[in-house]
C-alpha cells in the first residue's frame, strides 16, 4: 500500500511539472534554455530528481497556432518486497517497476514573423 501511495504522489507531481512546462513553452514559443532551467528547478521544487526523468519535447521555436508538446517518463520501483528481506527485494526489483508518464500538449501563444 505505501508503494501505491508514493507512486500516485510521484505521478501527480510529474503532471504538475508537465503542466508548468507546457505553459512556459507556450508563453516562450517553444523549448528554450530558460524553459529547460525552469523545468529543472520545478522538478527539484517537487523533490523529483531531474536526472531520473527522460524528457521529450517540441524542438525549437513554435509559433501560434502550432502546438508545443512535452512528455516526461521514468520508472518507479516497487520496494514492498524488501520487508521479506533484502534478497527477496533484489530478486523482484527488476520485474516490479511501473512507468510514470506525464504528457501534455498546448497551443503556442507566440506569433513569429
Amino acid at each position: 500500500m505505501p508503494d501505491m501511495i508514493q507512486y500516485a504522489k510521484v505521478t501527480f507531481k510529474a503532471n504538475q511539472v508537465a503542466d508548468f512546462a507546457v505553459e512556459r513553452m507556450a508563453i516562450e514559443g517553444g523549448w528554450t534554455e530558460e524553459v529547460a532551467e525552469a523545468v529543472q528547478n520545478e522538478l527539484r521544487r517537487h523533490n523529483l530528481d531531474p536526472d531520473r526523468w527522460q524528457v521529450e519535447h517540441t524542438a525549437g521555436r513554435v509559433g501560434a497556432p502550432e502546438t508545443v508538446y512535452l512528455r516526461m517518463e521514468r520508472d518507479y520501483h516497487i520496494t514492498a518486497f524488501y520487508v521479506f528481506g533484502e534478497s527477496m527485494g533484489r530478486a523482484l526489483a527488476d520485474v516490479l517497476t511501473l512507468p510514470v508518464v506525464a504528457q501534455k500538449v498546448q497551443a503556442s501563444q507566440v506569433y513569429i514573423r
Side-chain angles (χ1 to χ4, degrees):
M1 188 62 150
D3 274 320
M4 290 300 101
I5 293 169
Q6 189 64 21
Y7 175 77
K9 283 173 53 178
V10 170
T11 302
F12 180 77
K13 289 178 179 184
N15 277 282
Q16 286 183 314
V17 173
D19 283 335
F20 169 83
V22 294
E23 183 68 28
R24 284 293 302 264
M25 290 173 69
I27 291 168
E28 303 273 338
W31 188 263
T32 64
E33 288 183 28
E34 292 81 15
V35 171
E37 185 176 332
V39 170
Q40 296 281 320
N41 290 336
E42 191 70 6
L43 283 165
R44 285 187 197 94
R45 190 176 77 76
H46 286 284
N47 294 321
L48 299 173
D49 182 2
D51 295 331
R52 294 190 65 192
W53 292 90
Q54 296 175 336
V55 179
E56 298 173 19
H57 53 78
T58 306
R61 301 282 292 159
V62 178
E66 295 178 49
T67 59
V68 292
Y69 164 82
L70 180 112
R71 183 176 199 271
M72 299 171 36
E73 182 177 3
R74 70 166 258 205
D75 287 334
Y76 181 83
H77 297 281
I78 302 296
T79 59
F81 289 99
Y82 278 94
V83 283
F84 298 118
E86 189 173 336
S87 60
M88 175 76 97
R90 280 191 189 157
L92 295 172
D94 291 339
V95 296
L96 294 175
T97 59
L98 298 172
V100 178
V101 178
Q103 183 171 304
K104 306 291 177 179
V105 176
Q106 186 167 330
S108 177
Q109 299 174 17
V110 174
Y111 288 90
I112 301 172
R113 294 182 186 229

